[in-house]
């Protein structure tokens, strides 16, 4: 596997992108989203966690099914982070109540709870599960990182170590693939690497000036880069309050060398405000980021190049992002409780590599060994505001007019009127609860959807 390839490099990348689905998931900002296998999760400032199963997609819609146990309301404050174990069977969450909770992702049962070892129960900003699911780490405002061992058989969490070295809020942590090292980044500008085997008090290495205004987020790629014949490195990305994304090479220890964290290429420049979240893809060498400038960008982190930029989004801030498990979609959490999905299509530079063009279904889930991946996004959709239901924030399929003169999705307004006598839009009392089908609007929506669906050969509705 080689991150610095000289041959078989795509000559150009075509980049367009399309939002394919949105859902009103929470009543407050979506602070964290995660996708593993067919399982999706979100955590919000409304103190709740929601889980879904991806029931399928047709290229124009992400079809989700929410189990009966969702939403989960157990945290006493903002849910800052949700993360799955490697196989998606466990969900780990943490929040401003200073607790780490492990859930059975299939049943919603609570497996274990740990209170962060701090006298004032500091808010937790991040949590991660090691790749072998034996270690759980969490950190936040307490400036320290707690490391627990997790026994999957008994469900017990045992505090193993409290790492101390940062002097400011820790915003992000991540394990290496072999679960021996833990990285942490803070708003105090530093990145540190910790020993999860020997549990040393001191960090193995530290980079003190990673970002001028502090680190806001971090992730570690699922692949390693071959720096030379005998040296490979983990690929790490950090986002900062300085509006910059930096990439790093983490060289693991050997019998002859110590752990090293080294700058790994050019800065990724494209956002005009602080970086809220970033994530590597699961299979392809891709990175997605979002910012307070209301934009989302997909990058080639190996070549340090921007592939596509979405936004600025007019209504909402994008607070968190991730790739779907097969890198077919980007999932984003917004301020106001919205979750959105963008479709990705991966193609190859076929003529110079294989002589023929593989089918899209084969090129989406490519091996990490293949450095010749290209991205082609679908066209941006600009949905007219009048086509979107004020309750569900989705394109209406069966719009109905209420007595406030506003059109809503039929099922949504019917459900509202069962428990309310007021308008969802104005909060004024309605003179009657009768609703009338808006056939003219329905025809306009259908015509618009058909025209937008021509490029993809399938209808949007």
């Amino acid at each position: 596997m080689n991150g610095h390839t000289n041959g078989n490099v795509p000559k150009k990348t075509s980049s367009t992108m399309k939002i394919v689905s949105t859902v009103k998931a929470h009543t407050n900002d979506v602070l964290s989203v995660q996708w593993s296998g067919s399982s999706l999760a979100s955590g919000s400032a409304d103190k709740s966690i929601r889980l879904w199963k991806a029931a399928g997609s047709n290229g124009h819609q992400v079809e989700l099914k929410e189990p009966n146990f969702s939403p989960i309301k157990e945290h006493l404050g903002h849910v800052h982070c949700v993360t799955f174990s490697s196989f998606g069977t466990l969900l780990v969450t943490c929040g401003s109540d200073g607790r780490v909770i492990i859930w059975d992702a299939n049943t919603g049962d609570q497996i274990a709870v740990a209170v962060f070892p701090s006298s004032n129960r500091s808010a937790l900003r991040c949590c991660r599960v090691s790749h072998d699911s034996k270690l759980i780490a969490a950190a936040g405002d307490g400036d320290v990182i707690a490391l627990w061992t997790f026994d999957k058989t008994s469900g017990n969490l045992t505090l193993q170590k409290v790492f101390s070295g940062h002097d400011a809020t820790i915003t992000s942590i991540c394990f290496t693939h072999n679960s021996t090292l833990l990285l942490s980044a803070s708003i105090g500008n530093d990145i540190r690497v910790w020993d999860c085997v020997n549990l040393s008090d001191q960090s193995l290495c530290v980079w003190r000036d990673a970002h001028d205004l502090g680190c806001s987020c971090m992730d570690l790629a699922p692949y390693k880069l071959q720096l030379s014949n005998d040296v490979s490195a983990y690929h790490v990305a950090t986002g900062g309050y300085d509006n910059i994304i930096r990439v790093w090479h983490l060289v693991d220890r050997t019998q002859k060398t110590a752990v090293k964290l080294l700058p790994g290429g050019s800065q990724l420049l494209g956002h005009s405000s602080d970086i809220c979240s970033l994530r590597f893809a699961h299979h392809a060498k891709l990175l997605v980021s979002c910012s307070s400038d209301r934009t989302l960008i997909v990058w080639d982190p190996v070549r340090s190049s921007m592939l596509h930029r979405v936004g600025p989004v007019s209504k909402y801030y994008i607070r968190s992002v991730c790739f779907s498990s097969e890198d077919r979609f980007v999932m984003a959490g917004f301020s106001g409780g919205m979750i959105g999905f963008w479709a990705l299509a991966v193609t190859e530079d076929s003529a110079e590599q294989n002589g023929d063009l593989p089918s899209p279904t084969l090129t989406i889930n490519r091996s990490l060994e293949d450095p010749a991946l290209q991205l082609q996004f679908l066209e941006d959709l600009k949905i007219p505001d009048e086509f979107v239901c004020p309750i569900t924030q989705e394109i209406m399929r069966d719009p109905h007019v209420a007595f406030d003169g506003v059109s809503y999705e039929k099922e949504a307004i019917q459900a509202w009127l069962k428990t309310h006598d007021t308008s969802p839009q104005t909060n004024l009392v309605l003179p009657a609860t009768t609703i009338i089908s808006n056939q003219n609007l329905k025809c306009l929506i259908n015509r618009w959807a058909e025209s937008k669906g021509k490029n993809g050969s399938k209808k949007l509705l």
Side-chain angles (χ1 to χ4, degrees):
M1 194 171 354
N2 194 325
H4 299 281
T5 56
N6 295 319
N8 296 333
V9 177
K11 290 188 175 181
K12 65 175 183 177
T13 300
S14 175
S15 300
T16 54
M17 201 168 184
K18 182 181 74 176
I19 190 165
V20 293
S21 300
T22 59
V23 61
K24 177 73 171 177
H26 296 275
T27 59
N28 207 331
D29 294 5
V30 180
L31 303 179
S32 180
V33 292
Q34 184 73 307
W35 191 324
S36 176
S38 61
S39 298
L40 296 79
S42 61
S44 170
D46 68 4
K47 307 179 184 180
S48 72
I49 304 156
R50 293 190 72 172
L51 289 96
W52 297 271
K53 290 290 184 181
S57 62
N58 62 8
H60 297 295
Q61 290 283 327
V62 177
E63 299 174 13
L64 303 177
K65 290 186 177 180
E66 187 170 18
N68 294 331
F69 60 79
S70 178
I72 299 172
K73 297 182 179 180
E74 181 66 24
H75 281 285
L76 305 177
H78 294 185
V79 181
H80 286 288
C81 186
V82 297
T83 185
F84 285 104
S85 60
S86 296
F87 296 102
T89 55
L90 301 175
L91 178 70
V92 180
T93 63
C94 69
S96 57
D97 58 0
R99 295 191 299 164
V100 177
I101 305 178
I102 302 178
W103 311 87
D104 184 318
N106 294 316
T107 65
D109 293 334
Q110 189 178 116
I111 298 174
V113 182
V115 177
F116 195 70
S118 174
S119 57
N120 58 356
R121 188 177 273 197
S122 301
L124 296 178
R125 305 289 173 180
C126 50
C127 57
R128 285 291 178 104
V129 188
S130 65
H131 288 252
D132 58 9
S133 299
K134 294 181 179 179
L135 297 173
I136 308 291
D141 292 354
D143 308 345
V144 297
I145 306 148
L147 181 70
W148 293 271
T149 56
F150 175 62
D151 187 322
K152 289 182 283 188
T153 303
S154 65
N156 290 332
L157 268 176
T158 304
L159 184 64
Q160 195 77 3
K161 183 69 176 179
V162 176
F163 294 116
S164 178
H166 293 285
D167 58 4
T169 295
I170 300 166
T171 56
S172 46
I173 53 177
C174 50
F175 287 99
T176 54
H177 309 156
N178 57 12
S179 307
T180 62
L181 301 177
L182 178 69
L183 290 84
S184 58
S186 85
I187 63 173
N189 305 340
D190 55 337
I191 304 172
R192 294 177 180 266
V193 182
W194 307 92
D195 189 341
C196 295
V197 177
N198 300 311
L199 303 177
S200 308
D201 289 333
Q202 300 297 318
S203 53
L204 296 175
C205 66
V206 57
W207 194 281
R208 298 187 184 279
D209 298 310
H211 291 271
D212 289 343
L213 302 176
C215 302
S216 56
C217 52
M218 175 175 61
D219 197 26
L220 186 143
Y223 55 82
K224 294 182 77 174
L225 298 174
Q226 199 71 33
L227 304 185
S228 64
N229 291 336
D230 56 351
V231 178
S232 62
Y234 297 104
H235 208 190
V236 180
T238 58
Y241 294 100
D242 54 5
N243 314 342
I244 295 171
I245 296 171
R246 298 180 187 272
V247 289
W248 308 86
H249 293 155
L250 175 63
V251 181
D252 205 344
R253 59 192 153 201
T254 66
Q255 292 180 347
K256 298 181 179 179
T257 62
V259 173
K260 297 178 182 178
L261 182 66
L262 306 169
S266 303
Q267 300 173 2
L268 304 185
L269 304 176
H271 291 296
S272 60
S273 189
D274 55 285
I275 314 301
C276 296
S277 173
L278 54 76
R279 284 285 182 169
F280 283 96
H282 297 272
H283 303 281
K285 291 186 176 72
L286 301 172
L287 179 74
V288 63
S289 63
C290 65
S291 166
S292 294
D293 63 6
R294 302 174 186 254
T295 64
L296 178 151
I297 298 178
V298 177
W299 309 87
D300 179 337
V302 176
R303 297 174 179 85
S304 299
S305 61
M306 182 193 300
L307 297 177
H308 189 75
R309 185 174 185 266
V310 174
V313 179
S314 59
K315 290 185 178 180
Y316 305 103
Y317 290 98
I318 309 175
R319 301 295 304 272
S320 52
V321 286
C322 69
F323 284 94
S324 66
S325 54
E326 292 186 347
D327 302 338
R328 295 181 58 202
F329 298 96
V330 168
M331 177 182 181
F334 293 84
S335 61
M338 294 292 299
I339 289 178
F341 300 87
W342 282 269
L344 286 73
V346 179
T347 59
E348 280 188 283
D349 190 2
S350 60
E352 296 172 339
Q353 309 238 5
N354 302 323
D356 58 345
L357 182 64
S359 66
T361 55
L362 295 178
T363 57
I364 284 170
N365 199 9
R366 297 290 300 187
S367 166
L368 293 174
E369 301 288 344
D370 186 356
L373 283 175
Q374 278 187 284
L375 263 184
Q376 183 182 14
F377 297 92
L378 302 178
E379 180 188 7
D380 276 322
L381 269 184
K382 297 187 183 298
I383 304 172
D385 291 343
E386 60 270 23
F387 293 174
V388 177
C389 172
I391 298 175
T392 66
Q393 292 296 307
E394 297 177 352
I395 301 174
M396 290 181 282
R397 295 171 182 267
D398 191 7
H400 276 60
V401 182
F403 258 77
D404 58 1
V406 179
S407 291
Y408 304 89
E409 180 64 41
K410 180 180 179 182
E411 291 184 0
I413 188 61
Q414 285 179 333
W416 171 272
L417 292 174
K418 286 181 180 179
T419 56
H420 300 78
D421 61 357
T422 57
S423 162
Q425 192 81 335
T426 65
N427 207 33
L428 298 175
V429 176
L430 295 169
T433 57
T434 306
I435 58 174
I436 302 172
S437 177
N438 191 338
Q439 289 297 320
N440 289 335
L441 180 57
K442 185 174 183 179
C443 289
L444 290 174
I445 294 173
N446 286 336
R447 288 174 188 169
W448 174 86
E450 288 172 0
S451 68
K452 293 296 180 183
K454 287 179 181 178
N455 293 335
S457 75
K458 293 184 180 181
K459 290 179 64 176
L460 286 163
L461 298 174

